[in-house]
Amino acid sequence: MDPTSEQLLWMYEKMVEIREYEETMAKVYLEGKLPPKIQKGLAFDIGAGPVPGEMHLAAGQEPVAVGVCAHLRREDTVVGAHRPHHFAIAKDVDLLGMTSEMFGKANGLGKGKGGHMHLFDPAVKFSCSGIVGAGAPQACGAALAAKKLGKDWVAVSFFGEGAANQGAFHEALNLASLWKLPVIFVCEDNKYGISVEKSASTAIESNADRAAGYGMPGVLVDTNDAVAVFRAAGEAVARARRGEGPTLIEVKTDRYLGHFQGDPETYRPKNEAQQLRQHDPIVILGAQLRARGELDDAKDAALRSTISARVQAAYEHGRNSPYPAPEDALLHVFAD
Amino acid sequence: MSTANKVRKLSMAEAISEGIGQEMARDERVFVMGEDIGKYGGIFSATTGLLDQFGPERIMDTPISETGFMGAAIGAAAEGLRPISELMFVDFFGVCFDQIYNHLAKNTYMSGGACKFPVVITTGIGGGYNDAAQHSQCLYAMFAHVPGLKVVVPSNAYDAKGLMIQAIRDDNPVVFMYHKGIMGLSWMSYFEGSTNEVPAEPYTIPFGQAKVVRDGKDLTIVTLSQMVQKSVLAADKLAAEGIEAEIIDLRTLVPLDKETVLRSVAKTGRLLVADEDYLSFGVSGEIAAIVAEQLNHLQLKAPVRRLAVPDVPIPFSRPLEQFAIPQVDAIAAEARALMQLTLD
């Protein structure tokens, strides 16, 4: 299944938005965290600044999010992982609420109780988790619900290649195939589980091969390309909607930034990220659009300016919104 | 026909499955997942008869993949269904606790209340039948310790049915912990006081309401689950000696009915906590602390005493296990000792 011009443009715009979002966050995140503004002797203070805590950014991994989400509807479920922004943006999660959440503000998606690894937007059926591999069984549950409710909704579980060595992943694959659930398991192979290379963590080359052990199709997308992901995901989503069960897709993708911001990245060659950026999927898709006559400099500048304004407005919204009252920490333990 | 025949007594297992069945008939969003809950009817008979009534679409046997189906319960609940997910033995929580404590218990909070997870986890607890350290624990304190889980620990059939229906209708995660030794199984000895009169119609028992099982003026025994039945037998022995024990059945740990505990201790001035969970950092310490925090409002006549598993894994051999898990005689002995104590 090839994308229409409209779908290509949607993926391009979303990728531009994700990149703008992540690169802005990379800067905002550092505010207040570096000397001389922090405790003497520290090189970096993770708990300081307007966006405190861990921060895992997805610059470079945009094709996985847009290639899959291009096929999804509002009623379809997405369960992301600890590096969730690209999925959230591609699933149309409320950008203002999501950004406020990362600033810990009262009007954040979780009223400041979740932060960047724990974003919940039930309006578009998006959630994520900071625990590696934990989302796959939950996606099975959403898919089970769709089946029980007689809907053709699907659920997508996104996770990194490190998660494919978790028991939760294997239990979920078996369950999904056994019960023929409309789930698409999407593994982002960005080569590293924090610092450990895939070759040092995973006994086989491609996690797509693991699908065979559970009687489901396994598809390897061996290029960090939105259209290639789009084709693989289109098949998988259509199959799930037809009631034919789950698919496992692995995408070889690229992580341009550290595992988290502040990561010294001593485990990979100094110029690796720079080399990876030579094959920027946004540039590649932009060139395809230009070749089809769907994009030119003027249009590109216009859409980038619109997107940038939207992203920057979200950051301003997050920055300027009020914090919750401290005692609001006591609310929402239960849903009563 | 005598009137006695009109009293309908059920075992706790029968009461639980009846409660689940009535809610499933009332609300088609309710379904059950777990190991051997279908044809087998649950290893401890908590789902007996439900497969015939509701079929395999709603009474779903699962693979031995607790992480898989606990996670699936979370995902299905987020979509508006109301799963009941059975963890066969509570001891197995170790293979799936991430889904329970990091997700089920926290996702409502981390979503700022935007997401609800109406999941009931049913699970078998307790020892007394020589199943050793990996199949005999209570562990309710571990679940009660984590914010975001309601914890229900019934001691008898009547309470179990009402609390189960309440649990299924709750929009929050509820861990419903049934002691194997009060389920009234045909293959395990049980305390007969747990099999009692159960109305045929559905009813609910609100959470956070402890029950005064026995009135007494001399000491308060705060307890739960199977230990309630043991405490009742101990109290009978004590009464013959002229000691009147008041017994409080907590029924739920989260929420916890502190008022009923404090009212009773204020009356008797003596507190014994009888618990089948581990001694340290558990229910007995929590109850003692609640009383200690109110010493400006109530007068104790003696120091608080705690009876629980003495911080050892549950041993296999009968004499060892009977020693480690507090028995009726041990409760009576603790009560007698408490009556001898004073504060000076």
Side-chain angles (χ1 to χ4, degrees), chain A:
Chain A
M1 184 196 310
D2 282 322
T4 62
S5 293
E6 198 187 334
Q7 287 168 321
L8 284 172
L9 259 176
W10 181 87
M11 291 197 289
Y12 181 74
E13 290 182 21
K14 279 291 181 191
M15 290 209 290
V16 169
E17 182 174 345
I18 293 164
R19 183 70 58 84
E20 170 93 9
Y21 194 89
E22 299 296 67
E23 290 188 336
T24 303
M25 181 55 86
K27 289 188 205 111
V28 171
Y29 180 72
L30 285 179
E31 290 175 23
K33 289 192 175 62
L34 299 173
K37 289 184 178 169
I38 57 173
Q39 188 182 350
K40 221 176 156 192
L42 295 187
F44 177 82
D45 185 353
I46 185 170
V51 180
E54 287 183 59
M55 182 53 65
H56 313 81
L57 298 178
Q61 299 183 197
E62 299 89 351
V64 187
V66 301
V68 174
C69 292
H71 301 283
L72 301 185
R73 310 172 190 153
R74 201 175 168 83
E75 307 80 46
D76 296 323
T77 294
V78 165
V79 184
H82 60 285
R83 192 184 309 285
H85 304 170
H86 52 328
F87 308 132
I89 290 169
K91 188 63 172 61
D92 287 328
V93 165
D94 169 26
L95 201 67
L96 299 179
M98 156 177 162
T99 310
S100 271
E101 185 60 26
M102 296 184 216
F103 281 86
K105 299 302 177 69
N107 58 359
L109 285 176
K111 301 187 169 67
K113 288 176 168 137
H116 111 101
M117 282 189 281
H118 316 106
L119 302 168
F120 296 84
D121 190 351
V124 295
K125 294 195 183 178
F126 180 86
S127 68
C128 53
S129 166
I131 306 293
V132 170
Q138 295 165 20
C140 288
L144 176 65
K147 211 173 158 174
K148 283 183 177 296
L149 296 168
K151 307 287 189 184
D152 69 345
W153 305 337
V154 304
V156 178
S157 168
F158 288 108
F159 49 89
E161 91 288 343
N165 296 319
Q166 276 281 12
F169 165 78
H170 294 273
E171 291 191 19
L173 257 67
N174 182 60
L175 209 61
S177 188
L178 180 73
W179 289 348
K180 259 192 165 180
L181 299 177
V183 194
I184 301 93
F185 299 99
V186 182
C187 179
E188 293 185 287
D189 175 9
N190 67 12
K191 302 181 198 68
Y192 299 97
I194 305 189
S195 66
V196 177
E197 282 181 65
K198 189 184 187 187
S199 59
S201 74
T202 304
I204 55 172
E205 197 115 315
S206 166
N207 282 307
D209 293 345
R210 290 178 152 168
Y214 300 101
M216 71 174 78
V219 182
L220 174 65
V221 178
D222 64 358
T223 164
N224 192 29
D225 177 69
V227 174
V229 176
F230 180 96
R231 289 195 186 109
E235 271 298 311
V237 171
R239 185 178 130 80
R241 288 205 205 284
R242 288 195 304 265
E244 292 169 20
T247 302
L248 171 62
I249 298 171
E250 179 164 76
V251 183
K252 304 268 185 207
T253 188
D254 297 325
R255 191 185 83 200
Y256 291 172
L257 301 167
H259 165 68
F260 41 68
Q261 293 311 101
D263 178 358
E265 297 185 69
T266 48
Y267 50 84
R268 65 174 175 178
K270 266 206 161 53
N271 59 350
E272 188 184 86
Q274 225 170 347
Q275 282 178 352
L276 295 174
R277 284 180 190 263
Q278 301 305 306
H279 309 278
D280 188 330
I282 298 178
V283 175
I284 291 168
L285 185 54
Q288 281 176 283
L289 281 165
R290 282 165 198 267
R292 292 168 68 123
E294 302 286 348
L295 190 69
D296 56 29
D297 287 351
K299 192 172 176 185
D300 195 30
L303 71 83
R304 281 176 183 271
S305 147
T306 307
I307 288 166
S308 178
R310 182 159 70 237
V311 169
Q312 297 310 322
Y315 276 92
E316 286 316 298
H317 174 81
R319 193 187 288 279
N320 297 328
S321 292
Y323 280 110
E327 59 274 21
D328 284 356
L330 302 177
L331 304 177
H332 305 302
V333 175
F334 291 110
D336 293 331

Side-chain angles (χ1 to χ4, degrees), chain B residues 140-141 144 151-153 224 250-257 283 287:
Chain B
Y140 31 69
V151 178
V152 178
V153 196
L224 68 168
L250 292 173
R251 301 204 287 194
T252 64
L253 288 178
V254 181
L256 182 65
D257 181 359
V283 171
I287 298 296

Side-chain angles (χ1 to χ4, degrees), chain B residues 291-327:
Chain B
V291 170
E293 284 169 342
Q294 295 296 320
L295 285 176
N296 53 338
H297 296 303
L298 61 85
Q299 195 77 44
L300 284 183
K301 296 174 184 161
V304 170
R305 284 185 80 97
R306 301 193 280 154
L307 181 62
V309 173
D311 296 334
V312 295
I314 309 299
F316 162 69
S317 173
R318 189 173 299 118
L320 300 179
E321 189 194 33
Q322 296 288 306
F323 174 82
I325 296 177
Q327 303 299 325

Side-chain angles (χ1 to χ4, degrees), chain B residues 154-172:
Chain B
S155 68
N156 64 85
Y158 175 84
D159 285 355
K161 180 175 169 182
L163 291 167
M164 174 54 80
I165 292 175
Q166 182 80 12
I168 295 168
R169 293 181 188 178
D170 200 297
D171 277 342
N172 292 285

